[in-house]
Amino acid sequence: MVTADDVRRIAMSLPRTTEALVRDRVKYRIGRIVYLALSPDETRMGFAFPKAERVALVEAEPDKFMMPRPSDERYNWVRVRLAAIDEAELTELIVEAWRMCVPKRVAAEHLG
């Protein structure tokens, strides 16, 4: 099982990422764009994900993934239960969410 500390370690290793506490939620941003957010109890993580693909993701693995809250459905966003994933999958989810929000040049420089 991964923890909020794992999320923090991975997210903060990515260029231009900042951490903020907003309404009792830890959020990770690039500028003003939030690409990750932890639930207040730190058991779930919301992350940037293409709207067009999220229904398929949730339906394929409903034990891991959840649709965003109704107030977040307009955004490119989905949620995951941290207890259901390992560190490799967490890293992949975070890096892909980050790539959606950071300039392509920055992603290319960081990822090689």
Side-chain angles (χ1 to χ4, degrees), residues 53-78:
E53 299 172 22
R54 70 182 175 198
V55 170
L57 177 71
V58 171
E59 288 179 355
E61 297 187 85
D63 57 316
K64 288 184 184 181
F65 299 102
M66 301 168 284
M67 291 295 288
R69 295 180 308 177
S71 61
D72 291 334
E73 285 181 354
R74 65 182 177 203
Y75 301 112
N76 289 311
W77 201 253
V78 73

PDB file of all heavy atoms in Angstrom, residues 53-78:
ATOM      1  N   GLU A  53     -11.242   9.280 -21.413  1.00  0.00           N
ATOM      2  CA  GLU A  53     -10.782   7.935 -21.063  1.00  0.00           C
ATOM      3  C   GLU A  53     -11.177   7.487 -19.661  1.00  0.00           C
ATOM      4  O   GLU A  53     -10.994   6.331 -19.300  1.00  0.00           O
ATOM      5  CB  GLU A  53      -9.260   7.872 -21.193  1.00  0.00           C
ATOM      6  CG  GLU A  53      -8.763   8.160 -22.598  1.00  0.00           C
ATOM      7  CD  GLU A  53      -7.249   8.279 -22.668  1.00  0.00           C
ATOM      8  OE1 GLU A  53      -6.551   7.755 -21.777  1.00  0.00           O
ATOM      9  OE2 GLU A  53      -6.767   8.915 -23.621  1.00  0.00           O
ATOM     10  N   ARG A  54     -11.734   8.382 -18.864  1.00  0.00           N
ATOM     11  CA  ARG A  54     -11.936   8.040 -17.452  1.00  0.00           C
ATOM     12  C   ARG A  54     -13.031   7.000 -17.219  1.00  0.00           C
ATOM     13  O   ARG A  54     -12.892   6.174 -16.319  1.00  0.00           O
ATOM     14  CB  ARG A  54     -12.136   9.283 -16.609  1.00  0.00           C
ATOM     15  CG  ARG A  54     -13.415  10.011 -16.823  1.00  0.00           C
ATOM     16  CD  ARG A  54     -13.464  11.251 -15.963  1.00  0.00           C
ATOM     17  NE  ARG A  54     -14.641  12.013 -16.262  1.00  0.00           N
ATOM     18  CZ  ARG A  54     -14.795  13.278 -15.951  1.00  0.00           C
ATOM     19  NH1 ARG A  54     -13.836  13.910 -15.307  1.00  0.00           N
ATOM     20  NH2 ARG A  54     -15.901  13.904 -16.247  1.00  0.00           N
ATOM     21  N   VAL A  55     -14.106   7.011 -17.992  1.00  0.00           N
ATOM     22  CA  VAL A  55     -15.159   6.008 -17.788  1.00  0.00           C
ATOM     23  C   VAL A  55     -14.588   4.612 -18.027  1.00  0.00           C
ATOM     24  O   VAL A  55     -14.832   3.688 -17.251  1.00  0.00           O
ATOM     25  CB  VAL A  55     -16.380   6.290 -18.691  1.00  0.00           C
ATOM     26  CG1 VAL A  55     -17.356   5.119 -18.656  1.00  0.00           C
ATOM     27  CG2 VAL A  55     -17.073   7.570 -18.259  1.00  0.00           C
ATOM     28  N   ALA A  56     -13.801   4.460 -19.065  1.00  0.00           N
ATOM     29  CA  ALA A  56     -13.189   3.161 -19.362  1.00  0.00           C
ATOM     30  C   ALA A  56     -12.253   2.730 -18.237  1.00  0.00           C
ATOM     31  O   ALA A  56     -12.244   1.550 -17.849  1.00  0.00           O
ATOM     32  CB  ALA A  56     -12.437   3.224 -20.685  1.00  0.00           C
ATOM     33  N   LEU A  57     -11.495   3.652 -17.697  1.00  0.00           N
ATOM     34  CA  LEU A  57     -10.582   3.337 -16.594  1.00  0.00           C
ATOM     35  C   LEU A  57     -11.359   2.865 -15.370  1.00  0.00           C
ATOM     36  O   LEU A  57     -11.043   1.828 -14.785  1.00  0.00           O
ATOM     37  CB  LEU A  57      -9.739   4.566 -16.237  1.00  0.00           C
ATOM     38  CG  LEU A  57      -8.788   4.403 -15.053  1.00  0.00           C
ATOM     39  CD1 LEU A  57      -7.628   3.494 -15.431  1.00  0.00           C
ATOM     40  CD2 LEU A  57      -8.277   5.762 -14.593  1.00  0.00           C
ATOM     41  N   VAL A  58     -12.383   3.608 -14.989  1.00  0.00           N
ATOM     42  CA  VAL A  58     -13.173   3.261 -13.807  1.00  0.00           C
ATOM     43  C   VAL A  58     -13.902   1.935 -14.008  1.00  0.00           C
ATOM     44  O   VAL A  58     -13.929   1.095 -13.105  1.00  0.00           O
ATOM     45  CB  VAL A  58     -14.159   4.397 -13.456  1.00  0.00           C
ATOM     46  CG1 VAL A  58     -15.126   3.967 -12.366  1.00  0.00           C
ATOM     47  CG2 VAL A  58     -13.383   5.648 -13.039  1.00  0.00           C
ATOM     48  N   GLU A  59     -14.478   1.725 -15.181  1.00  0.00           N
ATOM     49  CA  GLU A  59     -15.198   0.470 -15.440  1.00  0.00           C
ATOM     50  C   GLU A  59     -14.258  -0.731 -15.494  1.00  0.00           C
ATOM     51  O   GLU A  59     -14.638  -1.826 -15.097  1.00  0.00           O
ATOM     52  CB  GLU A  59     -15.996   0.581 -16.733  1.00  0.00           C
ATOM     53  CG  GLU A  59     -17.210   1.477 -16.591  1.00  0.00           C
ATOM     54  CD  GLU A  59     -18.011   1.632 -17.874  1.00  0.00           C
ATOM     55  OE1 GLU A  59     -17.585   1.110 -18.936  1.00  0.00           O
ATOM     56  OE2 GLU A  59     -19.068   2.284 -17.811  1.00  0.00           O
ATOM     57  N   ALA A  60     -13.033  -0.524 -15.956  1.00  0.00           N
ATOM     58  CA  ALA A  60     -12.068  -1.625 -16.046  1.00  0.00           C
ATOM     59  C   ALA A  60     -11.583  -2.066 -14.665  1.00  0.00           C
ATOM     60  O   ALA A  60     -11.335  -3.251 -14.443  1.00  0.00           O
ATOM     61  CB  ALA A  60     -10.886  -1.216 -16.910  1.00  0.00           C
ATOM     62  N   GLU A  61     -11.438  -1.113 -13.741  1.00  0.00           N
ATOM     63  CA  GLU A  61     -10.918  -1.436 -12.408  1.00  0.00           C
ATOM     64  C   GLU A  61     -11.670  -0.646 -11.332  1.00  0.00           C
ATOM     65  O   GLU A  61     -11.094   0.231 -10.679  1.00  0.00           O
ATOM     66  CB  GLU A  61      -9.424  -1.153 -12.344  1.00  0.00           C
ATOM     67  CG  GLU A  61      -8.594  -2.011 -13.289  1.00  0.00           C
ATOM     68  CD  GLU A  61      -7.115  -1.816 -13.076  1.00  0.00           C
ATOM     69  OE1 GLU A  61      -6.566  -2.489 -12.181  1.00  0.00           O
ATOM     70  OE2 GLU A  61      -6.522  -0.989 -13.785  1.00  0.00           O
ATOM     71  N   PRO A  62     -12.937  -0.966 -11.109  1.00  0.00           N
ATOM     72  CA  PRO A  62     -13.727  -0.193 -10.142  1.00  0.00           C
ATOM     73  C   PRO A  62     -13.268  -0.341  -8.692  1.00  0.00           C
ATOM     74  O   PRO A  62     -13.612   0.483  -7.853  1.00  0.00           O
ATOM     75  CB  PRO A  62     -15.149  -0.730 -10.330  1.00  0.00           C
ATOM     76  CG  PRO A  62     -14.961  -2.090 -10.902  1.00  0.00           C
ATOM     77  CD  PRO A  62     -13.714  -2.020 -11.739  1.00  0.00           C
ATOM     78  N   ASP A  63     -12.492  -1.372  -8.407  1.00  0.00           N
ATOM     79  CA  ASP A  63     -11.951  -1.530  -7.058  1.00  0.00           C
ATOM     80  C   ASP A  63     -10.820  -0.540  -6.786  1.00  0.00           C
ATOM     81  O   ASP A  63     -10.509  -0.256  -5.643  1.00  0.00           O
ATOM     82  CB  ASP A  63     -11.460  -2.964  -6.840  1.00  0.00           C
ATOM     83  CG  ASP A  63     -10.421  -3.381  -7.873  1.00  0.00           C
ATOM     84  OD1 ASP A  63     -10.626  -3.100  -9.076  1.00  0.00           O
ATOM     85  OD2 ASP A  63      -9.412  -3.990  -7.482  1.00  0.00           O
ATOM     86  N   LYS A  64     -10.227   0.007  -7.846  1.00  0.00           N
ATOM     87  CA  LYS A  64      -9.135   0.975  -7.713  1.00  0.00           C
ATOM     88  C   LYS A  64      -9.593   2.403  -7.971  1.00  0.00           C
ATOM     89  O   LYS A  64      -9.276   3.311  -7.214  1.00  0.00           O
ATOM     90  CB  LYS A  64      -8.014   0.684  -8.729  1.00  0.00           C
ATOM     91  CG  LYS A  64      -7.184  -0.515  -8.451  1.00  0.00           C
ATOM     92  CD  LYS A  64      -6.076  -0.598  -9.488  1.00  0.00           C
ATOM     93  CE  LYS A  64      -5.266  -1.852  -9.303  1.00  0.00           C
ATOM     94  NZ  LYS A  64      -4.170  -1.919 -10.288  1.00  0.00           N
ATOM     95  N   PHE A  65     -10.299   2.586  -9.066  1.00  0.00           N
ATOM     96  CA  PHE A  65     -10.594   3.935  -9.554  1.00  0.00           C
ATOM     97  C   PHE A  65     -12.046   4.327  -9.350  1.00  0.00           C
ATOM     98  O   PHE A  65     -12.934   3.492  -9.382  1.00  0.00           O
ATOM     99  CB  PHE A  65     -10.226   4.033 -11.037  1.00  0.00           C
ATOM    100  CG  PHE A  65      -8.773   3.784 -11.289  1.00  0.00           C
ATOM    101  CD1 PHE A  65      -8.344   2.558 -11.784  1.00  0.00           C
ATOM    102  CD2 PHE A  65      -7.824   4.755 -11.011  1.00  0.00           C
ATOM    103  CE1 PHE A  65      -6.996   2.315 -12.011  1.00  0.00           C
ATOM    104  CE2 PHE A  65      -6.476   4.516 -11.222  1.00  0.00           C
ATOM    105  CZ  PHE A  65      -6.062   3.296 -11.721  1.00  0.00           C
ATOM    106  N   MET A  66     -12.265   5.621  -9.178  1.00  0.00           N
ATOM    107  CA  MET A  66     -13.603   6.192  -8.983  1.00  0.00           C
ATOM    108  C   MET A  66     -13.727   7.443  -9.843  1.00  0.00           C
ATOM    109  O   MET A  66     -12.741   8.150 -10.068  1.00  0.00           O
ATOM    110  CB  MET A  66     -13.793   6.606  -7.524  1.00  0.00           C
ATOM    111  CG  MET A  66     -13.635   5.495  -6.525  1.00  0.00           C
ATOM    112  SD  MET A  66     -13.542   6.147  -4.831  1.00  0.00           S
ATOM    113  CE  MET A  66     -11.873   6.777  -4.793  1.00  0.00           C
ATOM    114  N   MET A  67     -14.949   7.696 -10.253  1.00  0.00           N
ATOM    115  CA  MET A  67     -15.217   8.939 -10.968  1.00  0.00           C
ATOM    116  C   MET A  67     -14.984  10.110 -10.010  1.00  0.00           C
ATOM    117  O   MET A  67     -15.035   9.944  -8.787  1.00  0.00           O
ATOM    118  CB  MET A  67     -16.658   8.961 -11.477  1.00  0.00           C
ATOM    119  CG  MET A  67     -16.933   7.959 -12.582  1.00  0.00           C
ATOM    120  SD  MET A  67     -16.018   8.297 -14.094  1.00  0.00           S
ATOM    121  CE  MET A  67     -16.890   9.735 -14.689  1.00  0.00           C
ATOM    122  N   PRO A  68     -14.756  11.295 -10.565  1.00  0.00           N
ATOM    123  CA  PRO A  68     -14.606  12.457  -9.682  1.00  0.00           C
ATOM    124  C   PRO A  68     -15.917  12.792  -8.988  1.00  0.00           C
ATOM    125  O   PRO A  68     -16.987  12.346  -9.424  1.00  0.00           O
ATOM    126  CB  PRO A  68     -14.194  13.575 -10.641  1.00  0.00           C
ATOM    127  CG  PRO A  68     -14.593  13.124 -11.992  1.00  0.00           C
ATOM    128  CD  PRO A  68     -14.618  11.623 -11.970  1.00  0.00           C
ATOM    129  N   ARG A  69     -15.825  13.566  -7.939  1.00  0.00           N
ATOM    130  CA  ARG A  69     -17.037  14.055  -7.290  1.00  0.00           C
ATOM    131  C   ARG A  69     -17.838  14.842  -8.319  1.00  0.00           C
ATOM    132  O   ARG A  69     -17.258  15.409  -9.249  1.00  0.00           O
ATOM    133  CB  ARG A  69     -16.685  14.954  -6.109  1.00  0.00           C
ATOM    134  CG  ARG A  69     -15.964  14.214  -5.002  1.00  0.00           C
ATOM    135  CD  ARG A  69     -15.638  15.119  -3.852  1.00  0.00           C
ATOM    136  NE  ARG A  69     -14.945  16.315  -4.337  1.00  0.00           N
ATOM    137  CZ  ARG A  69     -14.566  17.327  -3.593  1.00  0.00           C
ATOM    138  NH1 ARG A  69     -14.821  17.312  -2.316  1.00  0.00           N
ATOM    139  NH2 ARG A  69     -13.937  18.352  -4.097  1.00  0.00           N
ATOM    140  N   PRO A  70     -19.153  14.903  -8.180  1.00  0.00           N
ATOM    141  CA  PRO A  70     -19.962  15.634  -9.171  1.00  0.00           C
ATOM    142  C   PRO A  70     -19.465  17.054  -9.441  1.00  0.00           C
ATOM    143  O   PRO A  70     -19.476  17.511 -10.582  1.00  0.00           O
ATOM    144  CB  PRO A  70     -21.361  15.627  -8.554  1.00  0.00           C
ATOM    145  CG  PRO A  70     -21.388  14.357  -7.763  1.00  0.00           C
ATOM    146  CD  PRO A  70     -19.995  14.224  -7.189  1.00  0.00           C
ATOM    147  N   SER A  71     -18.980  17.743  -8.425  1.00  0.00           N
ATOM    148  CA  SER A  71     -18.489  19.111  -8.623  1.00  0.00           C
ATOM    149  C   SER A  71     -17.206  19.166  -9.454  1.00  0.00           C
ATOM    150  O   SER A  71     -16.847  20.222  -9.971  1.00  0.00           O
ATOM    151  CB  SER A  71     -18.256  19.784  -7.276  1.00  0.00           C
ATOM    152  OG  SER A  71     -17.279  19.075  -6.530  1.00  0.00           O
ATOM    153  N   ASP A  72     -16.524  18.035  -9.597  1.00  0.00           N
ATOM    154  CA  ASP A  72     -15.270  17.986 -10.362  1.00  0.00           C
ATOM    155  C   ASP A  72     -15.412  17.315 -11.723  1.00  0.00           C
ATOM    156  O   ASP A  72     -14.429  17.168 -12.449  1.00  0.00           O
ATOM    157  CB  ASP A  72     -14.183  17.248  -9.565  1.00  0.00           C
ATOM    158  CG  ASP A  72     -13.724  18.026  -8.347  1.00  0.00           C
ATOM    159  OD1 ASP A  72     -13.834  19.272  -8.362  1.00  0.00           O
ATOM    160  OD2 ASP A  72     -13.244  17.396  -7.387  1.00  0.00           O
ATOM    161  N   GLU A  73     -16.614  16.890 -12.092  1.00  0.00           N
ATOM    162  CA  GLU A  73     -16.798  16.157 -13.342  1.00  0.00           C
ATOM    163  C   GLU A  73     -16.468  16.977 -14.587  1.00  0.00           C
ATOM    164  O   GLU A  73     -16.146  16.415 -15.625  1.00  0.00           O
ATOM    165  CB  GLU A  73     -18.216  15.601 -13.437  1.00  0.00           C
ATOM    166  CG  GLU A  73     -18.416  14.406 -12.538  1.00  0.00           C
ATOM    167  CD  GLU A  73     -19.800  13.813 -12.630  1.00  0.00           C
ATOM    168  OE1 GLU A  73     -20.675  14.392 -13.326  1.00  0.00           O
ATOM    169  OE2 GLU A  73     -20.008  12.765 -12.012  1.00  0.00           O
ATOM    170  N   ARG A  74     -16.503  18.287 -14.486  1.00  0.00           N
ATOM    171  CA  ARG A  74     -16.190  19.122 -15.650  1.00  0.00           C
ATOM    172  C   ARG A  74     -14.688  19.159 -15.939  1.00  0.00           C
ATOM    173  O   ARG A  74     -14.265  19.588 -16.995  1.00  0.00           O
ATOM    174  CB  ARG A  74     -16.725  20.529 -15.443  1.00  0.00           C
ATOM    175  CG  ARG A  74     -16.058  21.241 -14.303  1.00  0.00           C
ATOM    176  CD  ARG A  74     -16.633  22.611 -14.073  1.00  0.00           C
ATOM    177  NE  ARG A  74     -15.983  23.183 -12.910  1.00  0.00           N
ATOM    178  CZ  ARG A  74     -16.488  24.116 -12.169  1.00  0.00           C
ATOM    179  NH1 ARG A  74     -17.662  24.611 -12.462  1.00  0.00           N
ATOM    180  NH2 ARG A  74     -15.835  24.567 -11.130  1.00  0.00           N
ATOM    181  N   TYR A  75     -13.891  18.714 -15.004  1.00  0.00           N
ATOM    182  CA  TYR A  75     -12.433  18.738 -15.156  1.00  0.00           C
ATOM    183  C   TYR A  75     -11.906  17.394 -15.667  1.00  0.00           C
ATOM    184  O   TYR A  75     -12.560  16.370 -15.548  1.00  0.00           O
ATOM    185  CB  TYR A  75     -11.754  19.051 -13.815  1.00  0.00           C
ATOM    186  CG  TYR A  75     -12.172  20.368 -13.233  1.00  0.00           C
ATOM    187  CD1 TYR A  75     -12.933  20.415 -12.066  1.00  0.00           C
ATOM    188  CD2 TYR A  75     -11.825  21.568 -13.840  1.00  0.00           C
ATOM    189  CE1 TYR A  75     -13.323  21.622 -11.519  1.00  0.00           C
ATOM    190  CE2 TYR A  75     -12.215  22.786 -13.298  1.00  0.00           C
ATOM    191  CZ  TYR A  75     -12.966  22.804 -12.146  1.00  0.00           C
ATOM    192  OH  TYR A  75     -13.360  23.997 -11.610  1.00  0.00           O
ATOM    193  N   ASN A  76     -10.682  17.425 -16.172  1.00  0.00           N
ATOM    194  CA  ASN A  76      -9.949  16.204 -16.529  1.00  0.00           C
ATOM    195  C   ASN A  76      -9.458  15.612 -15.211  1.00  0.00           C
ATOM    196  O   ASN A  76      -8.359  15.917 -14.754  1.00  0.00           O
ATOM    197  CB  ASN A  76      -8.769  16.527 -17.446  1.00  0.00           C
ATOM    198  CG  ASN A  76      -9.200  16.931 -18.816  1.00  0.00           C
ATOM    199  OD1 ASN A  76     -10.013  16.258 -19.429  1.00  0.00           O
ATOM    200  ND2 ASN A  76      -8.682  18.041 -19.308  1.00  0.00           N
ATOM    201  N   TRP A  77     -10.270  14.756 -14.599  1.00  0.00           N
ATOM    202  CA  TRP A  77     -10.001  14.322 -13.230  1.00  0.00           C
ATOM    203  C   TRP A  77     -10.598  12.959 -12.977  1.00  0.00           C
ATOM    204  O   TRP A  77     -11.657  12.620 -13.489  1.00  0.00           O
ATOM    205  CB  TRP A  77     -10.644  15.341 -12.274  1.00  0.00           C
ATOM    206  CG  TRP A  77     -10.094  15.363 -10.899  1.00  0.00           C
ATOM    207  CD1 TRP A  77     -10.707  14.893  -9.775  1.00  0.00           C
ATOM    208  CD2 TRP A  77      -8.844  15.893 -10.467  1.00  0.00           C
ATOM    209  NE1 TRP A  77      -9.909  15.100  -8.678  1.00  0.00           N
ATOM    210  CE2 TRP A  77      -8.754  15.722  -9.079  1.00  0.00           C
ATOM    211  CE3 TRP A  77      -7.769  16.492 -11.130  1.00  0.00           C
ATOM    212  CZ2 TRP A  77      -7.657  16.118  -8.336  1.00  0.00           C
ATOM    213  CZ3 TRP A  77      -6.680  16.891 -10.393  1.00  0.00           C
ATOM    214  CH2 TRP A  77      -6.628  16.709  -9.018  1.00  0.00           C
ATOM    215  N   VAL A  78      -9.916  12.150 -12.161  1.00  0.00           N
ATOM    216  CA  VAL A  78     -10.416  10.858 -11.696  1.00  0.00           C
ATOM    217  C   VAL A  78      -9.785  10.618 -10.332  1.00  0.00           C
ATOM    218  O   VAL A  78      -8.837  11.321  -9.953  1.00  0.00           O
ATOM    219  CB  VAL A  78     -10.108   9.739 -12.729  1.00  0.00           C
ATOM    220  CG1 VAL A  78      -8.648   9.373 -12.746  1.00  0.00           C
ATOM    221  CG2 VAL A  78     -10.970   8.525 -12.529  1.00  0.00           C
TER     222      VAL A  78
END
